[in-house]
Amino acid sequence: MKVSRRLMVGRATFLLWNAFTSLLLIAISPQPHRGAADAFVSLTAAPSVQKQLRYSCKRQRHIDFALLAAKLTSEEVKARLDDSIARLREKDKKTKLTDPDELKIVFEDDHLVVIDKPVGVLSVPSEPGVPSLIESVFARYQKQQAESPATCKANITHYEPITKMHQMVVHRLGMETSGLIIFAKSLEAVRKLNTLFRTRKITRQYEALVCGHVTSKTHGLINLPLMRDYEYPPYMRISTDEHQRHLLELNVTMVGRKLLRAPLSSLTHFQVLGLENFRNSTDLPVTRLTLTSISGRTHQLNVHCAAYGHAIVHDLVHGFKGEAAPYGGLAFEETISNDRASLELQEQLYEATQGDRMCIHCKLLRFKHPCTKETMELTSPASF
């Protein structure tokens, strides 16, 4: 099968790149403070050898893990995918429509606008007719253009205005994620912002509440590759060798190329901000984290937190009783952290947060302005 050969070549390239980035990141990662011997942890997984490497400044341990992949047929995978897509489309229809005049503008000039996105709003429409944030942003932009056409400034030599809604989009936030999101206001800005995201020159930091107290480490790097989960399509999971092998047995025409893509290296840095009790309760411990998305993969932070053993509070996809594979696709006892949140605690938090929002918010964007070259650092406080 032609796709099998392409997949194998892609995975071989991925393995080499994963090994290189793992060594590089270990070398350049910040060193722990004196007296905090166990403060730094780096977690990496290479699909070829199925090893989970855990580093601290005093020791290095290797923990083997293997997951037995379910042998689903292409027809079964396609049926699951169709069912999931249908449910997601129904969920998307519940998105809120934001009044263009009520958008919370954090920064704006002739080249770009940064919005503080509310929770429960799609960044872009999943299908025609579904409301989304970009619809309101584009309507506001069109009104600005009609009232006072933008002029050429800074390094934009030939100003090319945006003419279509989708042209403003350079990245996205999930519907249940609030916080800072950038939209471009010229084609030149689109190209330059896309380059900044592609080369990882835009820092994105999130604040999150996760289940349980993270006490064993104060900060660290999670380096676990992601893949599409054919058992719970179209969601993401931690890539394993067993699951990768089974992809070669699936029919690309039936399940689609996206599901058969090679694993993606995925890097998340976490920093413990504080140990808390949810809503000041005495028996619902949670941890407030700063999460830095280095690689920016789809659902990366959600999957990594779940695989670490501390799912994001009220994550109805990757958390307790979620729609995706639990614990990022790992078994409960194979989650990374030694102080993983217990099943009992996860269930209690699940019950206590019914009707609430998912506790994750993009609180900081740091980048060099694509046109003025000014260093930008924009912030937004979390509401939880």
Side-chain angles (χ1 to χ4, degrees):
M1 183 183 296
K2 293 182 179 179
V3 67
S4 300
R5 183 174 182 180
R6 286 197 297 272
L7 286 170
M8 288 188 287
V9 171
R11 292 187 185 102
T13 303
F14 166 79
L15 295 179
L16 293 173
W17 176 250
N18 188 70
F20 170 75
T21 54
S22 297
L23 293 173
L24 178 62
L25 286 164
I26 292 166
I28 66 175
S29 294
Q31 296 301 311
H33 301 293
R34 293 181 181 275
D38 245 0
F40 177 70
V41 60
S42 175
L43 312 169
T44 119
S48 61
V49 295
Q50 286 301 283
K51 287 185 177 179
Q52 191 168 275
L53 309 177
R54 306 183 63 194
Y55 295 93
S56 72
C57 55
K58 279 190 172 182
R59 68 184 184 278
Q60 173 180 324
R61 293 193 299 171
H62 296 261
I63 303 176
D64 294 330
F65 72 93
L67 294 176
L68 180 60
K71 294 297 183 180
L72 298 176
T73 65
S74 296
E75 291 79 7
E76 290 171 325
V77 173
K78 180 65 164 58
R80 292 189 179 196
L81 178 60
D82 290 343
D83 182 63
S84 292
I85 294 296
R87 284 186 281 106
L88 286 171
R89 292 292 179 264
E90 287 300 312
K91 180 181 178 182
D92 289 348
K93 292 177 182 179
K94 299 177 182 179
T95 184
K96 304 171 186 176
L97 180 61
T98 305
D99 188 320
D101 295 328
E102 296 179 359
L103 292 172
K104 187 174 180 180
I105 310 299
V106 178
F107 173 84
E108 184 175 23
D109 63 11
D110 283 348
H111 317 291
L112 56 89
V113 58
V114 179
I115 308 290
D116 195 345
K117 185 184 94 64
V119 69
V121 177
L122 284 173
S123 296
V124 298
S126 55
E127 60 182 350
V130 175
S132 64
L133 182 64
I134 183 58
E135 182 179 339
S136 300
V137 174
F138 186 63
R140 181 178 179 276
Y141 167 78
Q142 286 182 310
K143 183 179 179 181
Q144 288 177 327
Q145 288 292 89
E147 294 176 350
S148 178
T151 57
C152 168
K153 287 187 178 181
N155 294 331
I156 299 184
T157 306
H158 302 288
Y159 186 82
E160 300 174 273
I162 295 291
T163 58
K164 298 179 180 179
M165 185 171 68
H166 73 271
Q167 294 173 328
M168 301 186 76
V169 179
V170 291
H171 74 125
R172 308 177 185 188
L173 291 178
M175 179 174 169
E176 301 304 327
T177 301
S178 58
L180 301 176
I181 182 170
I182 309 172
F183 294 100
K185 295 176 63 177
S186 74
L187 296 182
E188 184 68 17
V190 170
R191 289 189 286 267
K192 291 182 177 181
L193 283 168
N194 282 334
T195 298
L196 290 178
F197 276 106
R198 186 174 61 255
T199 56
R200 300 181 183 177
K201 293 182 179 178
I202 295 184
T203 298
R204 287 170 287 178
Q205 288 187 350
Y206 297 74
E207 189 164 317
L209 287 181
V210 299
C211 301
H213 280 169
V214 180
T215 57
S216 58
K217 309 293 175 185
T218 61
H219 66 281
L221 183 71
I222 302 175
N223 180 4
L224 294 169
L226 301 183
M227 63 177 287
R228 291 281 176 181
D229 193 343
Y230 63 84
E231 295 177 287
Y232 297 88
Y235 300 113
M236 306 296 287
R237 58 156 293 133
I238 302 302
S239 178
T240 69
D241 195 42
E242 187 70 25
H243 280 77
Q244 283 295 314
R245 281 196 297 268
H246 186 55
L247 292 183
L248 300 177
E249 303 174 16
L250 299 178
N251 186 312
V252 62
T253 303
M254 184 169 293
V255 303
R257 293 184 181 277
K258 182 180 291 187
L259 198 65
L260 300 181
R261 288 175 181 169
L264 300 170
S265 60
S266 304
L267 310 171
T268 300
H269 185 271
F270 70 89
Q271 173 78 46
V272 175
L273 296 179
L275 306 179
E276 306 175 12
N277 288 299
F278 189 71
R279 292 178 179 166
N280 298 317
S281 64
T282 58
D283 58 351
L284 296 177
V286 295
T287 300
R288 189 172 296 272
L289 297 178
T290 290
L291 301 170
T292 302
S293 175
I294 299 173
S295 47
R297 308 300 186 190
T298 301
H299 297 166
Q300 171 187 316
L301 301 180
N302 306 70
V303 178
H304 275 179
C305 286
Y308 192 64
H310 298 276
I312 296 172
V313 171
H314 200 63
D315 185 345
L316 298 181
V317 175
H318 298 276
F320 186 78
K321 291 186 178 180
E323 297 178 9
Y327 315 114
L330 305 179
F332 174 72
E333 63 275 9
E334 293 169 324
T335 51
I336 312 303
S337 177
N338 289 329
D339 53 13
R340 63 182 68 88
S342 69
L343 292 172
E344 180 182 9
L345 172 60
Q346 292 180 65
E347 184 172 11
Q348 290 172 341
L349 282 167
Y350 174 82
E351 297 295 337
T353 58
Q354 290 300 305
D356 286 358
R357 58 159 297 172
M358 180 169 62
C359 293
I360 184 166
H361 175 84
C362 184
K363 67 175 182 177
L364 179 144
L365 290 175
R366 185 187 301 115
F367 59 99
K368 183 175 289 187
H369 193 290
C371 302
T372 68
K373 305 305 178 186
E374 177 186 359
T375 298
M376 310 289 296
E377 182 167 304
L378 306 172
T379 60
S380 167
S383 62
F384 47 82

